[in-house]
Amino acid sequence: MALVDLHFHSHYSDDGELSPASLMVAAAMAQIHYAALADHNSVAGVDEAIAAGDRLGIAVIPAVEVDSLYEGSGLHVLGYAVDHHDPCWEKLENDVMEQMLSGSVARMDKVAALGIVVDRDKVEAKSRDGVIIPELIVEVALADPKNDGNPILKPYRKGGARSDNPQVNFYWDYCSHGKPAHVPTQYMTTAEAVGMIRATGGVPVLAHPGPTLKKGADSLPDLVEQGIAGVEAFSSYHSPEQCAAWHKAAVANGLFVTCGSDFHGKTKPAIRMGGHGASRDDEVAAIQALGAAAGLELPPVQ
């Protein structure tokens, strides 16, 4: 049983499912004592999460996950203990939302060009505020009988090699940076993301580096120079061996280690709260290190 999970997403993320308050209820049921709501490029749900956490006895740390570009590829940076009332965060959210909205039709076009039938009316009807993300497109496509037998979708169906988290796996395989159905969004650089987090009093931590950091741990010295303070070594995206390797690499580069599941809800059904692979000792170390780095007074892990 995990007591710490420092990476959740609510419906304020374009791919999240639950409200911040509902997330905290689920966290309490999972016996999580320390949590961080880290929505994509948004802090809109932080106050709601904190209020719910206070009612439920959960220490909620204000956080955000900033999408950035590092050496031409997407890299996510977690910002802990940021001033979530700073207007720069609302500006970031609005900018990203406008770009996501303007690229919605192009995303459907590119997925259809792969040879997948896309029922645009159904996709648009299920979209949130008109923003269409690849995960939604493939959700509708998988349910469409016109795509039965489509070889591209076979790995994402039940029993397939990519069926554990089919929607997000399709995104990584076909719609992420450098893939055939990618529609670019102009994110800030990683250095700019780190600077923004630090300028608002936060602590920047590299999120789930296994699937996103192309050069692996060899990039850590450069990221340290850019201001990264920690690494999410314990992640649902990492095998136990990878967790250990990232922990070792983080320590070797003078970085502290955190743990987070990256729970989203239905978009990533195989990910459970607390499913990050950290031991109790690792969780204690993560909370102590983050508290010290951010100047937070957190209750001791019991």
Side-chain angles (χ1 to χ4, degrees), residues 53-233:
D54 287 344
R55 293 192 301 270
L56 296 164
I58 300 173
V60 177
I61 299 167
V64 64
E65 184 174 22
V66 182
D67 288 86
S68 74
L69 288 175
Y70 178 73
E71 296 184 343
S73 296
L75 197 62
H76 296 178
V77 183
L78 294 159
Y80 290 107
V82 295
D83 176 3
H84 57 289
H85 296 126
D86 190 295
C88 73
W89 296 116
E90 183 177 6
K91 183 177 183 299
L92 172 65
E93 180 178 13
N94 290 338
D95 176 62
V96 172
M97 182 66 71
E98 288 176 7
Q99 291 192 64
M100 292 295 293
L101 184 60
S102 66
S104 291
V105 172
R107 290 185 192 94
M108 290 191 287
D109 289 344
K110 288 204 170 187
V111 172
L114 297 173
I116 295 171
V117 175
V118 177
D119 188 325
R120 295 167 188 262
D121 290 338
K122 286 186 178 179
V123 173
E124 290 172 357
K126 292 173 71 69
S127 69
R128 187 180 304 157
D129 299 323
V131 175
I132 294 168
I133 60 174
E135 293 90 338
L136 175 59
I137 298 170
V138 75
E139 176 187 339
V140 172
L142 284 168
D144 191 334
K146 293 178 181 177
N147 287 309
D148 289 352
N150 188 310
I152 293 177
L153 293 177
K154 183 177 180 181
Y156 309 97
R157 297 191 184 279
K158 186 176 181 179
R162 301 288 280 162
S163 62
D164 57 340
N165 291 305
Q167 296 174 35
V168 74
N169 284 341
F170 181 88
Y171 165 80
W172 287 118
D173 294 345
Y174 289 99
C175 304
S176 60
H177 194 277
K179 301 298 183 178
H182 176 66
V183 176
T185 299
Q186 296 304 311
Y187 295 119
M188 66 180 71
T189 67
T190 297
E192 290 170 333
V194 169
M196 189 170 176
I197 290 166
R198 289 196 175 275
T200 55
V203 179
V205 172
L206 182 62
H208 45 62
T212 56
L213 196 57
K214 301 306 180 185
K215 295 181 181 177
D218 289 344
S219 293
L220 289 182
D222 179 55
L223 290 169
V224 169
E225 286 191 13
Q226 295 193 22
I228 287 289
V231 175
E232 189 181 60

Side-chain angles (χ1 to χ4, degrees), residues 260-298:
S261 67
D262 198 21
F263 178 85
H264 281 67
K266 68 176 183 178
T267 307
K268 301 181 181 183
I271 294 178
R272 61 178 180 81
M273 289 186 174
H276 45 58
S279 69
R280 183 59 47 81
D281 287 345
D282 293 322
E283 289 185 315
V284 171
I287 283 297
Q288 290 177 341
L290 180 57
L296 298 173
E297 292 186 12
L298 296 171

